[in-house]
Amino acid sequence: MYSQEEAKHLRKEFWEIFGKRCSIVPELKGKKKKWMLYDTKIPGLDLKFEAGRDSAKVMIELNHRSEEKRLEVFEMLLRYKPQLEEGFGGGLRWEFLYIRENGAEVCRIFAEQTGLDIHNKNQWPDIYNFFISNMLQLENNFKNIREFLEAELEGE
Protein backbone atom coordinates (compact mmCIF):
# COMPACT_ATOMS: atom_id res chain seq x y z
CA MET A 1 0.00 0.00 0.00
CA TYR A 2 1.21 3.47 -0.81
CA SER A 3 0.90 6.56 1.35
CA GLN A 4 -0.98 9.47 -0.19
CA GLU A 5 2.32 11.20 -0.98
CA GLU A 6 3.85 8.05 -2.50
CA ALA A 7 0.75 7.50 -4.67
CA LYS A 8 0.94 11.12 -5.85
CA HIS A 9 4.60 10.68 -6.78
CA LEU A 10 3.84 7.39 -8.55
CA ARG A 11 1.09 9.02 -10.65
CA LYS A 12 3.42 11.90 -11.54
CA GLU A 13 6.09 9.43 -12.66
CA PHE A 14 3.49 7.43 -14.62
CA TRP A 15 2.37 10.47 -16.63
CA GLU A 16 5.94 11.73 -17.21
CA ILE A 17 6.97 8.36 -18.63
CA PHE A 18 3.77 8.27 -20.69
CA GLY A 19 4.70 11.64 -22.22
CA LYS A 20 8.13 10.29 -23.17
CA ARG A 21 6.56 7.11 -24.58
CA CYS A 22 4.22 9.19 -26.74
CA SER A 23 7.15 11.10 -28.23
CA ILE A 24 8.35 7.92 -29.99
CA VAL A 25 4.96 6.92 -31.44
CA PRO A 26 5.18 7.36 -35.24
CA GLU A 27 1.62 8.77 -35.53
CA LEU A 28 2.42 11.46 -32.97
CA LYS A 29 5.85 12.52 -34.24
CA GLY A 30 5.96 16.03 -35.58
CA LYS A 31 2.64 17.00 -34.00
CA LYS A 32 2.80 20.29 -32.16
CA LYS A 33 0.42 18.90 -29.56
CA LYS A 34 0.39 15.17 -28.99
CA TRP A 35 -3.29 14.73 -28.12
CA MET A 36 -6.47 16.69 -28.77
CA LEU A 37 -7.85 16.25 -25.19
CA TYR A 38 -9.40 19.64 -24.28
CA ASP A 39 -9.01 21.19 -27.75
CA THR A 40 -12.06 19.53 -29.32
CA LYS A 41 -13.71 22.81 -30.43
CA ILE A 42 -16.95 21.57 -28.83
CA PRO A 43 -17.71 23.35 -25.52
CA GLY A 44 -18.00 20.91 -22.63
CA LEU A 45 -16.61 17.95 -24.61
CA ASP A 46 -13.14 16.63 -23.73
CA LEU A 47 -11.12 13.55 -24.57
CA LYS A 48 -9.45 12.01 -21.54
CA PHE A 49 -7.17 9.28 -20.28
CA GLU A 50 -7.90 7.61 -16.95
CA ALA A 51 -5.77 5.05 -15.13
CA GLY A 52 -6.84 3.60 -11.81
CA ARG A 53 -6.35 0.64 -9.53
CA ASP A 54 -8.37 -1.81 -11.65
CA SER A 55 -8.60 -0.46 -15.20
CA ALA A 56 -7.50 2.02 -17.83
CA LYS A 57 -9.89 4.08 -19.95
CA VAL A 58 -9.83 6.45 -22.91
CA MET A 59 -12.97 8.53 -23.14
CA ILE A 60 -15.10 11.30 -24.42
CA GLU A 61 -16.43 13.20 -21.44
CA LEU A 62 -19.30 15.63 -21.64
CA ASN A 63 -18.92 17.98 -18.71
CA HIS A 64 -20.95 21.05 -19.70
CA ARG A 65 -22.33 22.72 -16.58
CA SER A 66 -25.78 22.85 -18.11
CA GLU A 67 -27.41 19.44 -17.81
CA GLU A 68 -29.65 20.28 -20.76
CA LYS A 69 -26.69 21.10 -23.00
CA ARG A 70 -24.73 18.05 -21.81
CA LEU A 71 -27.62 15.69 -22.59
CA GLU A 72 -28.24 17.39 -25.93
CA VAL A 73 -24.65 16.73 -27.04
CA PHE A 74 -24.87 13.16 -25.69
CA GLU A 75 -27.94 12.58 -27.88
CA MET A 76 -26.10 14.05 -30.88
CA LEU A 77 -23.21 11.67 -30.28
CA LEU A 78 -25.64 8.75 -30.08
CA ARG A 79 -26.69 9.56 -33.66
CA TYR A 80 -23.04 9.07 -34.68
CA LYS A 81 -22.56 5.92 -32.59
CA PRO A 82 -21.51 3.70 -35.55
CA GLN A 83 -18.84 6.23 -36.60
CA LEU A 84 -17.55 6.69 -33.03
CA GLU A 85 -17.35 2.95 -32.41
CA GLU A 86 -15.57 2.13 -35.65
CA GLY A 87 -12.41 0.15 -34.92
CA PHE A 88 -13.50 -0.75 -31.39
CA GLY A 89 -14.29 -4.46 -31.69
CA GLY A 90 -16.47 -4.57 -28.61
CA GLY A 91 -17.88 -1.08 -29.14
CA LEU A 92 -17.70 1.66 -26.55
CA ARG A 93 -19.46 1.98 -23.19
CA TRP A 94 -21.99 4.80 -23.03
CA GLU A 95 -22.72 6.23 -19.56
CA PHE A 96 -25.59 8.69 -19.54
CA LEU A 97 -24.72 9.70 -15.98
CA TYR A 98 -21.42 9.38 -14.14
CA ILE A 99 -20.69 11.23 -10.90
CA ARG A 100 -17.07 12.23 -10.45
CA GLU A 101 -15.33 12.19 -7.06
CA ASN A 102 -15.93 15.95 -6.79
CA GLY A 103 -19.69 15.41 -7.24
CA ALA A 104 -19.85 16.76 -10.80
CA GLU A 105 -22.29 14.98 -13.10
CA VAL A 106 -20.93 14.09 -16.54
CA CYS A 107 -21.68 11.79 -19.46
CA ARG A 108 -18.94 9.43 -20.60
CA ILE A 109 -18.29 7.34 -23.68
CA PHE A 110 -15.25 5.12 -23.29
CA ALA A 111 -13.13 2.11 -24.07
CA GLU A 112 -11.84 0.27 -21.03
CA GLN A 113 -9.32 -2.43 -20.29
CA THR A 114 -9.83 -4.03 -16.91
CA GLY A 115 -7.19 -5.81 -14.84
CA LEU A 116 -4.68 -2.96 -15.11
CA ASP A 117 -3.38 -1.21 -12.01
CA ILE A 118 -1.51 2.10 -12.15
CA HIS A 119 0.25 1.10 -8.91
CA ASN A 120 1.85 -1.89 -10.65
CA LYS A 121 4.81 -0.53 -12.64
CA ASN A 122 5.08 -3.84 -14.51
CA GLN A 123 1.70 -3.06 -16.08
CA TRP A 124 2.59 0.45 -17.23
CA PRO A 125 3.67 -0.68 -20.73
CA ASP A 126 0.29 -2.40 -21.14
CA ILE A 127 -1.55 0.74 -19.99
CA TYR A 128 0.51 2.94 -22.32
CA ASN A 129 -0.14 0.64 -25.29
CA PHE A 130 -3.86 0.61 -24.50
CA PHE A 131 -3.92 4.40 -24.14
CA ILE A 132 -2.06 5.09 -27.37
CA SER A 133 -3.86 2.69 -29.69
CA ASN A 134 -7.32 3.47 -28.34
CA MET A 135 -6.92 7.24 -28.08
CA LEU A 136 -5.58 7.40 -31.64
CA GLN A 137 -8.71 5.52 -32.77
CA LEU A 138 -11.06 7.65 -30.63
CA GLU A 139 -9.49 10.91 -31.83
CA ASN A 140 -9.73 9.86 -35.48
CA ASN A 141 -13.35 8.79 -35.10
CA PHE A 142 -14.19 12.03 -33.31
CA LYS A 143 -12.47 14.13 -35.97
CA ASN A 144 -14.61 12.41 -38.61
CA ILE A 145 -17.81 13.70 -36.99
CA ARG A 146 -16.65 16.95 -35.37
CA GLU A 147 -17.67 19.26 -38.21
CA PHE A 148 -21.18 17.75 -38.20
CA LEU A 149 -21.46 18.33 -34.44
CA GLU A 150 -20.21 21.90 -34.81
CA ALA A 151 -22.77 22.56 -37.56
CA GLU A 152 -25.62 21.13 -35.46
CA LEU A 153 -24.61 23.20 -32.45
CA GLU A 154 -24.30 26.39 -34.52
CA GLY A 155 -27.71 25.78 -36.10
CA GLU A 156 -29.50 26.00 -32.75
Side-chain angles (χ1 to χ4, degrees):
M1 216 51 192
Y2 291 103
S3 71
Q4 194 171 12
E5 190 60 36
E6 290 169 326
K8 181 180 175 183
H9 176 73
L10 188 72
R11 285 187 169 280
K12 183 177 187 278
E13 182 183 356
F14 172 87
W15 291 110
E16 287 172 352
I17 293 171
F18 179 59
K20 291 175 186 170
R21 171 72 173 80
C22 289
S23 67
I24 63 169
V25 174
E27 294 90 343
L28 299 175
K29 281 192 176 178
K31 282 180 86 175
K32 185 176 180 182
K33 227 176 137 193
K34 289 180 179 65
W35 302 104
M36 182 184 300
L37 302 181
Y38 302 101
D39 189 25
T40 63
K41 300 183 178 34
I42 306 289
L45 187 152
D46 301 324
L47 300 180
K48 293 186 173 190
F49 296 101
E50 185 177 281
R53 297 296 318 271
D54 58 3
S55 70
K57 297 178 179 106
V58 296
M59 71 184 79
I60 294 173
E61 183 178 272
L62 303 171
N63 50 36
H64 201 283
R65 290 181 187 193
S66 161
E67 180 181 25
E68 182 180 325
K69 194 70 162 171
R70 192 171 59 244
L71 299 178
E72 177 186 347
V73 175
F74 187 81
E75 288 177 13
M76 284 182 194
L77 290 172
L78 274 171
R79 291 195 293 269
Y80 296 100
K81 186 174 183 176
Q83 293 89 343
L84 279 174
E85 292 189 340
E86 182 145 341
F88 291 98
L92 296 170
R93 289 194 42 202
W94 295 68
E95 286 188 351
F96 183 71
L97 174 64
Y98 177 81
I99 301 174
R100 286 202 218 136
E101 287 179 12
N102 66 2
E105 295 180 358
V106 299
C107 300
R108 295 165 55 155
I109 302 161
F110 60 92
E112 177 179 37
Q113 185 170 337
T114 59
L116 296 175
D117 180 357
I118 192 172
H119 287 192
N120 183 344
K121 286 186 174 187
N122 293 329
Q123 292 183 349
W124 286 6
D126 296 328
I127 297 172
Y128 298 152
N129 291 336
F130 171 80
F131 275 175
I132 292 166
S133 64
N134 286 277
M135 185 57 85
L136 284 170
Q137 185 68 53
L138 190 60
E139 270 192 0
N140 286 332
N141 293 355
F142 176 75
K143 285 177 186 175
N144 289 335
I145 67 164
R146 180 174 51 192
E147 69 182 61
F148 301 111
L149 292 173
E150 287 175 312
E152 283 188 55
L153 290 167
E154 287 175 10
E156 296 176 345

